[in-house]
Amino acid sequence: MYRTVKATSGRQIFQPLHTLRAAEKELLPGYHPFEWQPALKSVSTSCHVGIIDGLSGWVASVDDSPADTVTRRFRYDVALVSALKDLEEDIMEGLRERGLEDSACTSGFSVMIKESCDGMGDVSEKHGGGPAIPEKAVRFSFTIMSVSIQAEGEDEAITIFREPKPNSEMSCKPLCLMFVDESDHETLTGVLGPVVAERNAMKHSRLILSVGGLSRSFRFHFRGTGYDEKMVREMEGLEASGSTYVCTLCDSTRAEASQNMTLHSVTRSHDENLERYELWRTNPHSESAEELRDRVKGVSAKPFMETQPTLDALHCDIGNATEFYKIFQDEIGEVYHKTNPSREQRRSWRAALDKQLRKKMKLKPVMRMNGNYARKLMTREAVEAVCELVRSEERQEALRELMGLYIQMKPVWRSTCPAKECPDQLCRYSFNSQRFAELLSTVFKYRYDGKITNYLHKTLAHVPEIVERDGSIGAWASEGNESGNKLFRRFRKMNARQSKTFELEDVL
């Protein structure tokens, strides 16, 4: 959106919204007329709705922060219309390329939407008045992943548009901004409640919108895949990520997952979670808390929003890099033949590792593992640097093999289309993950005896199945939303007019 404004207006575009509003009204949701058939349940039929207060319709809260400063959003259907109109040329181009006659193609369009939601810590103003509100924010956004059409008499749907950069902030449209702590379940669900209601209403209706001069009908399919594990667990009513139920895709416990590392299949789904919550709530078999928890496999809150059981590629990278960092530390300290090393010892190994990585890889120590650090750490060079500090030859070999396997496996969940981009690695994935698991349970047994980290379990057990089902893991990851967070911070610091009522609007 920002790029288009710059291109059409020729002016510097980091400007407050009112100047943009005047220059480029049609870029903001609420400009184009459209219609739903049947009309959406409990959503107004008006099309010209711009930014709304995310709490409209909720009774004013008694809390210390005035409710009207907490959240701003677009109405979901209005935002989707605006995003589709942005793609109007691409859609028409796609139809022309496929030689699909214009008048024949007015119905049967299918739009695939990726939804992402992520919390951001510390977005505090360094100055500026306004009411005191929690200095954390949550952003909810969506990306149009593809538009396809079911031509009459054809069995297969034909894809006429596919988002070339599904992980760029350019394709990731903000829908709702909230000054809410993502751990505050009540407020989060309160604010996202209307979004969920609109989304559910749209599933059962068709959008009639003029594209390329003709009225066409679109159906939307929503897939909530841009969530990190914390958010998935919150949305789906699962226990927090330290739970013995290690996985958001299958029912395995941590102990089972560390015994049997690769043979699991995806079983959890939103509907099943809802059923399990009902069991948890009603306890029809009058079981004890322990038995009941085992029956519902850790579902102990009401699933609030449907997410697609998948694995978030970005956080998968980060989680696994954290784990490798710890393995490196343990190998430097030769934990495999020590019992319970002291804190001091661990600290000294960590210092040695950081020093080595800084010297050889130019990697500065980080407080919390981030994507860039993870990418640099998971390389052959990093392993070679660590091996210089490991005394035993065979441990060095094991580390090299472990990293070699990981580097083979990684493109499969990172690439946008693994079948095209890395078919060989995709074919070898199960074999590689078996060997990887074997190494962990023999050479590195001291770390994986009865425990395993959540993302490592998913990486080993679930990747091939998800790729087979969805065609890709990387394309559905949360990166676009994460990059958008960066923009949000920047706008909030530099361009928001210093009153809380405005600044959310300026950023949205």
Side-chain angles (χ1 to χ4, degrees):
M1 177 165 145
Y2 308 119
R3 195 172 292 161
T4 13
V5 177
K6 171 98 183 204
T8 46
S9 62
R11 303 221 297 277
Q12 161 57 26
I13 51 126
F14 286 142
Q15 295 168 343
L17 230 148
H18 54 92
T19 45
L20 284 184
R21 257 197 200 136
E24 290 295 341
K25 266 221 160 73
E26 61 261 42
L27 282 172
L28 277 172
Y31 182 79
H32 304 283
F34 59 89
E35 179 194 350
W36 284 93
Q37 285 179 354
L40 295 185
K41 224 162 100 197
S42 41
V43 178
S44 134
T45 50
S46 152
C47 318
H48 303 294
V49 184
I51 295 175
I52 55 178
D53 177 355
L55 289 176
S56 56
W58 291 96
V59 186
S61 70
V62 214
D63 231 351
D64 19 341
S65 52
D68 59 357
T69 60
V70 172
T71 163
R72 287 282 178 277
R73 70 183 186 92
F74 295 121
R75 214 175 74 197
Y76 207 158
D77 59 330
V78 178
L80 286 173
V81 165
S82 174
L84 272 179
K85 286 299 266 186
D86 269 355
L87 296 176
E88 187 164 18
E89 288 166 26
D90 297 302
I91 291 174
M92 294 317 293
E93 181 64 27
L95 283 174
R96 276 195 297 276
E97 272 175 17
R98 294 305 172 98
L100 293 167
E101 267 319 295
D102 241 7
S103 52
C105 300
T106 50
S107 64
F109 284 89
S110 230
V111 185
M112 192 54 105
I113 304 287
K114 163 168 87 172
E115 297 178 320
S116 315
C117 186
D118 184 36
M120 279 179 285
D122 186 37
V123 286
S124 57
E125 279 287 358
K126 296 298 172 249
H127 49 261
I133 55 176
E135 290 301 357
K136 287 187 156 59
V138 174
R139 284 172 19 101
F140 184 95
S141 56
F142 67 90
T143 304
I144 293 187
M145 295 291 280
S146 64
V147 180
S148 53
I149 182 165
Q150 184 81 46
E152 279 165 36
E154 295 286 327
D155 293 342
E156 288 286 295
I158 302 167
T159 303
I160 51 175
F161 166 79
R162 177 165 270 116
E163 175 53 58
K165 293 202 181 114
N167 284 323
S168 146
E169 67 268 33
M170 298 297 294
S171 60
C172 189
K173 317 276 181 190
L175 180 72
C176 179
L177 292 175
M178 327 162 230
F179 282 124
V180 169
D181 182 346
E182 63 175 325
S183 314
D184 175 358
H185 185 75
E186 287 69 22
T187 315
L188 185 68
T189 49
V191 173
L192 285 178
V195 172
V196 176
E198 284 163 22
R199 173 196 204 234
N200 289 340
M202 287 188 285
K203 283 183 189 169
H204 308 295
S205 184
R206 294 176 313 144
L207 171 73
I208 312 295
L209 174 69
S210 151
V211 171
L214 291 174
S215 280
R216 301 175 197 270
S217 93
F218 296 87
R219 283 194 179 278
F220 292 94
H221 305 276
F222 300 95
R223 302 195 52 204
T225 58
Y227 304 113
D228 58 14
E229 178 157 329
K230 181 178 177 190
M231 191 65 91
V232 168
R233 284 174 177 270
E234 194 160 307
M235 299 269 193
E236 289 285 10
L238 299 163
E239 297 170 348
S241 49
S243 159
T244 43
Y245 293 97
V246 61
C247 189
T248 52
L249 298 128
C250 69
D251 295 338
S252 171
T253 62
R254 204 172 294 278
E256 286 164 17
S258 73
Q259 287 306 302
N260 158 17
M261 288 189 178
T262 51
L263 303 171
H264 295 276
S265 55
V266 177
T267 53
R268 288 188 192 262
S269 67
H270 184 66
D271 294 336
E272 186 196 54
N273 289 339
L274 279 166
E275 285 164 22
R276 286 181 168 175
Y277 168 70
E278 274 308 302
L279 283 177
W280 172 260
R281 197 177 62 80
T282 52
N283 191 3
H285 308 288
S286 315
E287 291 165 308
S288 72
E290 267 315 298
E291 293 167 321
L292 184 58
R293 179 167 170 254
D294 188 49
R295 179 181 292 273
V296 297
K297 305 293 179 204
V299 178
S300 54
K302 183 165 182 159
F304 160 70
M305 186 178 218
E306 182 176 357
T307 65
Q308 183 74 21
T310 177
L311 159 161
D312 183 48
L314 172 70
H315 290 91
C316 185
D317 261 8
I318 292 172
N320 291 340
T322 312
E323 192 51 23
F324 264 80
Y325 183 84
K326 289 180 177 160
I327 290 179
F328 291 160
Q329 229 169 291
D330 288 352
E331 286 301 308
I332 290 170
E334 301 187 337
V335 176
Y336 55 96
H337 52 211
K338 283 195 179 64
T339 45
N340 292 345
S342 70
R343 225 197 204 140
E344 264 47 58
Q345 287 174 299
R346 283 192 181 282
R347 209 166 283 157
S348 70
W349 306 334
R350 182 170 180 173
L353 176 59
D354 280 340
K355 186 175 167 189
Q356 180 77 339
L357 288 172
R358 177 175 262 170
K359 190 170 89 186
K360 298 277 185 209
M361 305 282 304
K362 309 271 181 293
L363 270 180
K364 282 200 212 54
V366 284
M367 281 258 296
R368 274 180 65 191
M369 180 73 67
N370 59 42
N372 292 336
Y373 190 96
R375 277 183 271 278
K376 285 190 190 137
L377 184 70
M378 304 310 274
T379 55
R380 291 207 162 79
E381 297 82 72
V383 150
E384 286 310 321
V386 173
C387 282
E388 290 177 21
L389 302 178
V390 175
R391 289 196 205 124
S392 140
E393 289 271 320
E394 58 190 282
R395 308 296 298 183
Q396 290 181 15
E397 276 316 301
L399 278 175
R400 286 190 187 108
E401 185 181 354
L402 200 61
M403 184 61 88
L405 288 167
Y406 187 81
I407 291 168
Q408 282 281 305
M409 288 154 68
K410 181 174 156 176
V412 177
W413 78 79
R414 277 319 260 171
S415 52
T416 304
C417 181
K420 277 202 199 92
E421 292 165 47
C422 51
D424 300 351
Q425 281 107 319
L426 181 59
C427 290
R428 289 183 57 84
Y429 194 92
S430 296
F431 179 78
N432 284 339
S433 64
Q434 287 275 332
R435 176 66 192 136
F436 194 94
E438 201 178 304
L439 274 173
L440 294 187
S441 50
T442 53
V443 185
F444 300 96
K445 189 165 171 49
Y446 65 88
R447 266 200 83 78
Y448 297 99
D449 202 5
K451 55 186 196 289
I452 188 168
T453 60
N454 303 9
Y455 276 112
L456 200 48
H457 155 74
K458 290 179 183 174
T459 311
L460 293 173
H462 294 303
V463 169
E465 187 179 352
I466 301 172
V467 171
E468 199 171 317
R469 184 191 67 193
D470 301 342
S472 169
I473 292 178
W476 295 95
S478 64
E479 250 126 332
N481 198 41
E482 300 269 357
S483 321
N485 289 348
K486 208 153 66 187
L487 281 177
F488 170 85
R489 278 213 162 79
R490 179 162 173 201
F491 286 133
R492 181 160 147 74
K493 294 263 185 286
M494 296 171 22
N495 295 78
R497 282 159 290 170
Q498 302 300 325
S499 99
K500 290 282 191 299
T501 358
F502 272 125
E503 67 190 28
L504 274 162
E505 300 192 7
D506 287 339
V507 174
L508 195 63

